[in-house]
Amino acid sequence: MAERIGIYVCHCGSNIAGTVDVEEVARWAGKNIDDVIVAKDYKFMCSSLGQAMIEEDIKKEGLTRVVVAACSPHLHEKTFRRACENAGLNPYLFQMTNLREHVSWVCNDKVKGTAKAKAMVAASAERVKYQQPLTPMYVDVNPATLVVGGGIAGLQAALELADAGYKVYLVEREPSVGGHMAQFDKTFPTLDCSACILTPKMSEAGQHENITLLTYSELEEVSGSVGNFKVKIRKKARYVDYDKCTGCGICSEKCPRKIVDEGFEAGLGTRKAIYTPFPQAVPRVPVIDTENCTYFTRGKCQVCSKVCPTEAIDYEQKDEMVEIEVGNIILATGWKLFDCKKIPQYGYGRLANVFTNMEFERLCNAAGPTNGKIVMRDGKTEPKSIAIIHCVGSRDVNFNEGCSAVCCMAALKLGHLILEKTKAEVYSFYIDMRTNQKMYEEFYQRLLHEGMHFVRGKVAEVTDAARNPNEQGKLIVQCEDTLLGKQRRIPVDMVVLMGAIEPQADAKELGLKCGISCSMAGWYTERHPKLDPVATMTDGVFVAGTCQGAKDIPASVAQGAAAAARVQGMITKGKVMIEPIVATINEEACSGCRICNNLCPYNAIEYLEDKGVSRVITALCKGCGTCVAACPAGVISASHFNNQQVFAEIEGALWDAIAECREPETV
């Protein structure tokens, strides 16, 4: 019995219609493709009227297959599947063709674009004839959630879920939660004390009955799928018994080994070999730095063990592997600062009084190494003039092409703190001033009134090579002032480089463990940049904060809460639908070579020792097809992507070439 196919071609406003003759594609499909009963074009197929059109035609014309040629299936495949289901048609008898990304957005020639659109519609129409009804599967959702990253976004997500009554495992690689926000002095544009608004959340997370803190820990392995992930976490040895330690701090106080703190204090302060990162750290359990501890390097000392009143020091402690099961994962792994030494002309690491913005944050901080006094590298001289250089490593084709989103406002904040604490002249060297969020422009205007000097132009060089007596002993900032239209040399005592925000160095590695991808820049890729910015292409894995892209604190908090809301919605449902598009193995023909076991990226294939064959674990399979392509015996097939369907699609795409090869009378 012949199928009854309905084809619907979307204009998508002018997105598709601008480079494809949509009316011609619909007319041609109705005339030239076998078994097509209905062929229509419409301005917006995804609208309620467009969906109603499909539903009405399924009922009225008795359609058994539906093809929609529109935008990306990632965006609206579920929309049209639902419309088919509402009309009584199995949703897997629907096929979507992406004319927007695959034709319109990559083609400027309307004639060629229309021809390609015809081929793609023909391919889908031939393919859909061989699609089979499928039934979705449902799995239970484990109500526990893993949050990776203890910065402000991760804390917000964890607290939202914990307050809703759900178990949360919060993993942080540093000894304390808090992230970069814990290093800041004040936050723009309200100038709130960063610690004052962050530490209550840190403390709440540390004491919450539904949150298990796993600090000084890293994610090692993720297996399973949405609703039932199995996770291995490496809990690194602190060499301090977590349960015995009271956080009294005597061990750090008495430790004789003092070293430069390259972490929290950005190299400007010192810490002991046994330490907590900062006074408000959560948890208040110290860590022994084995690379600098005298006992671990020389076998001597043990002062910390001798003075500890609770005998919490354990030099024999080993890394511990913790295994947990969760239903969802939220990645909130944050960012790292651009290495300003990569731009040698700015002098960082070579000229003493060139600082990074993070170093300057610690200088300004009342709890920092100088108790909030802004001084030069000698530790006592107050600068009389300071230059702040924007976009160091960002908006630069050589390093990071994108804007770091927060640098302009952070530079304005630092300028305000300088003017507030010193009598120094402050120069801000910027490319464009981007103050586009709530109260940001007002903050910029405030700095104009406070007397901060703004120079529009990219700085070419920071040098100490003086050309005249006024430049002797100074750092000279060489730039082009595009507002004045001339080159300028401005001598200052100190330079602050606003380094770019970059993805974590191991972002791609962690993404692979969780089954998600990164952009070319290294940020985690969301399901949709506008309509679904917290979900990823792997069900059950969400992203929040700056691991997804550069953003400020309010946006990170909002995204953390949004990710938690998405997870809570899945937990509340209790079950989640899994696509029935999975692989199956013909066990009678399987040779047990195990090639598929080693290749499956989702660990969804098990080997049955007693039978000597492999079997697909349906709940874990994502239907990626890796095993299908690799099987030397050809005994693995993929539902919804079997050979018959794929070959039919190829023949449909080659309709014009096939027509030319036929006898003239049959064309």
Side-chain angles (χ1 to χ4, degrees):
M1 180 179 174
E3 302 296 344
R4 298 176 66 82
I5 303 173
I7 293 179
Y8 302 87
V9 188
C10 182
H11 291 246
C12 197
S14 61
N15 270 312
I16 296 173
T19 48
V20 173
D21 188 339
V22 174
E23 293 91 343
E24 168 59 16
V25 173
R27 184 201 64 76
W28 176 88
K31 183 178 179 181
N32 292 276
I33 302 177
D34 294 339
D35 302 329
V36 174
I37 305 301
V38 176
K40 297 179 179 179
D41 64 276
Y42 191 68
K43 284 287 185 184
F44 297 102
M45 282 305 307
C46 61
S47 67
S48 57
L49 293 176
Q51 295 175 57
M53 180 193 302
I54 295 173
E55 294 179 26
E56 183 180 350
D57 287 347
I58 291 172
K59 296 174 182 177
K60 183 178 178 181
E61 302 293 341
L63 300 182
T64 60
R65 301 287 190 277
V66 172
V67 173
V68 174
C71 57
S72 169
H74 290 314
L75 189 60
H76 281 306
E77 186 174 52
K78 288 184 178 180
T79 301
F80 296 118
R81 279 184 178 176
R82 186 168 55 248
C84 293
E85 191 171 24
N86 290 342
L89 183 68
N90 187 284
Y92 295 93
L93 301 179
F94 159 80
Q95 179 65 17
M96 192 167 183
T97 299
N98 187 353
L99 296 188
R100 189 179 69 179
E101 281 88 335
H102 292 173
V103 182
S104 184
W105 283 1
V106 295
C107 181
N108 294 321
D109 188 317
K110 194 161 189 174
V111 174
K112 292 181 179 179
T114 301
K116 183 179 179 182
K118 290 178 180 178
M120 292 182 65
V121 169
S124 291
E126 294 302 327
R127 181 196 204 286
V128 79
K129 295 176 185 179
Y130 297 98
Q131 291 179 193
Q132 300 295 321
L134 299 175
T135 302
M137 300 171 289
Y138 291 87
V139 297
D140 293 331
V141 177
N142 187 325
T145 302
L146 173 68
V147 178
V148 184
I152 186 60
L155 286 170
Q156 185 68 32
L159 287 169
E160 294 278 357
L161 287 166
D163 287 342
Y166 302 115
K167 181 69 178 176
V168 178
Y169 296 94
L170 179 56
V171 174
E172 168 57 47
R173 68 168 55 172
E174 297 297 329
S176 169
V177 296
H180 287 296
M181 189 176 170
Q183 295 175 277
F184 300 156
D185 180 29
K186 288 184 168 53
T187 59
F188 57 78
T190 54
L191 298 175
D192 294 307
C193 168
S194 183
C196 297
I197 59 178
L198 175 66
T199 50
K201 286 187 178 292
M202 293 168 53
S203 179
E204 186 179 356
Q207 298 175 18
H208 206 294
E209 60 181 1
N210 291 327
I211 296 179
T212 298
L213 276 186
L214 295 168
T215 54
Y216 208 48
S217 305
E218 295 197 31
L219 190 65
E220 285 285 310
E221 184 182 317
V222 177
S223 60
S225 61
V226 57
N228 185 29
F229 290 105
K230 293 179 175 61
V231 181
K232 291 183 180 179
I233 299 163
R234 180 178 297 277
K235 195 174 181 182
K236 294 181 286 187
R238 289 175 178 263
Y239 304 101
V240 177
D241 190 307
Y242 197 98
D243 296 321
K244 290 182 179 179
C245 180
T246 61
C248 65
I250 294 176
C251 55
S252 296
E253 181 185 336
K254 299 297 183 181
C255 177
R257 186 83 166 96
K258 185 180 289 188
I259 58 174
V260 175
D261 186 354
E262 297 288 352
F264 189 79
E265 296 293 359
L268 295 185
T270 60
R271 61 166 170 79
K272 298 296 183 69
I274 182 169
Y275 70 100
T276 50
F278 52 99
Q280 305 93 336
V282 175
R284 283 277 299 165
V285 179
V287 173
I288 294 180
D289 178 358
T290 56
E291 292 183 3
N292 292 287
C293 175
T294 305
Y295 174 76
F296 282 94
T297 57
R298 300 180 187 175
K300 301 178 180 179
C301 188
Q302 293 186 299
V303 168
C304 54
S305 178
K306 295 171 183 176
V307 301
C308 180
T310 59
E311 299 181 348
I313 306 300
D314 180 4
Y315 298 119
E316 303 301 319
Q317 196 176 76
K318 304 293 183 184
D319 289 1
E320 178 187 352
M321 198 66 73
V322 178
E323 297 187 15
I324 60 173
E325 294 185 3
V326 296
N328 293 277
I329 298 171
I330 298 174
L331 298 181
T333 51
W335 56 277
K336 71 177 181 70
L337 186 67
F338 172 75
D339 181 3
C340 295
K341 290 180 181 178
K342 291 181 179 179
I343 307 181
Q345 59 267 36
Y346 286 171
Y348 180 68
R350 177 172 53 86
L351 302 175
N353 289 304
V354 178
F355 293 76
T356 66
N357 50 329
M358 192 56 74
E359 288 175 335
F360 200 79
E361 286 281 359
R362 298 310 301 156
L363 275 183
C364 293
N365 199 305
T370 62
N371 297 317
K373 294 180 181 178
I374 299 174
V375 292
M376 302 201 325
R377 292 280 183 189
D378 61 11
K380 56 185 178 181
T381 306
E382 184 177 291
K384 295 181 180 179
S385 54
I386 300 177
I388 302 175
I389 300 177
H390 295 224
C391 301
V392 178
S394 57
R395 300 186 66 188
D396 188 328
V397 294
N398 298 308
F399 303 106
N400 300 287
E401 293 188 3
C403 172
S404 288
V406 298
C407 296
C408 287
M409 287 299 297
L412 293 174
K413 177 194 73 174
L414 295 181
H416 169 81
L417 295 176
I418 295 167
L419 293 170
E420 182 180 65
K421 296 184 177 187
T422 73
K423 296 180 180 179
E425 291 284 320
V426 184
Y427 297 87
S428 178
F429 296 85
Y430 69 100
I431 301 175
D432 295 295
M433 190 60 65
R434 294 182 169 179
T435 54
N436 60 347
Q437 300 297 322
K438 182 180 180 181
M439 295 175 64
Y440 285 11
E441 180 63 21
E442 292 89 335
F443 194 74
Y444 170 45
Q445 295 297 326
R446 175 178 178 176
L447 266 295
L448 287 172
H449 291 298
E450 288 181 357
M452 189 170 176
H453 305 295
F454 291 91
V455 181
R456 187 178 185 274
K458 190 172 180 65
V459 171
E461 182 184 21
V462 177
T463 179
D464 59 353
R467 293 183 183 175
N468 56 60
N470 292 335
E471 295 179 352
Q472 290 293 336
K474 299 281 188 176
L475 296 174
I476 299 93
V477 180
Q478 175 79 43
C479 73
E480 179 187 7
D481 190 327
T482 60
L483 296 180
L484 295 179
K486 67 177 185 179
Q487 292 284 330
R488 295 182 67 182
R489 286 172 61 87
I490 300 177
V492 295
D493 295 324
M494 180 187 288
V495 171
V496 180
L497 304 179
M498 303 303 298
I501 286 178
E502 292 186 328
Q504 293 282 11
D506 62 346
K508 291 183 180 179
E509 180 185 343
L510 180 61
L512 286 173
K513 291 178 182 178
C514 297
I516 67 173
S517 60
C518 295
S519 67
M520 291 299 292
W523 306 111
Y524 289 134
T525 303
E526 60 286 308
R527 184 180 290 273
H528 190 280
K530 298 180 182 66
L531 303 180
D532 209 348
V534 297
T536 67
M537 295 307 298
T538 297
D539 292 340
V541 179
F542 300 86
V543 291
T546 48
C547 66
Q548 184 252 347
K551 55 180 65 71
D552 58 13
I553 292 169
S556 295
V557 171
Q559 200 170 22
R566 292 292 299 276
V567 169
Q568 189 175 340
M570 297 176 71
I571 296 172
T572 303
K573 284 183 179 178
K575 293 182 180 292
V576 62
M577 187 192 83
I578 293 180
E579 287 277 7
I581 303 172
V582 295
T584 54
I585 297 175
N586 181 354
E587 294 182 16
E588 294 182 1
C590 177
S591 65
C593 67
R594 302 196 191 189
I595 290 175
C596 56
N597 299 66
N598 297 325
L599 288 177
C600 179
Y602 301 99
N603 298 316
I605 303 178
E606 61 181 344
Y607 182 73
L608 305 178
E609 294 284 354
D610 55 335
K611 295 184 178 181
V613 299
S614 294
R615 175 183 294 170
V616 175
I617 304 172
T618 305
L620 302 184
C621 180
K622 292 294 181 183
C624 69
T626 301
C627 58
V628 180
C631 180
V635 300
I636 307 180
S637 60
S639 58
H640 210 61
F641 287 95
N642 61 38
N643 289 347
Q644 190 179 32
Q645 293 163 356
V646 173
F647 288 139
E649 190 169 10
I650 293 171
E651 288 184 13
L654 298 174
W655 71 271
D656 51 346
I658 293 172
E660 289 178 7
C661 296
R662 292 174 180 164
E663 292 296 326
E665 63 268 22
T666 62
V667 174

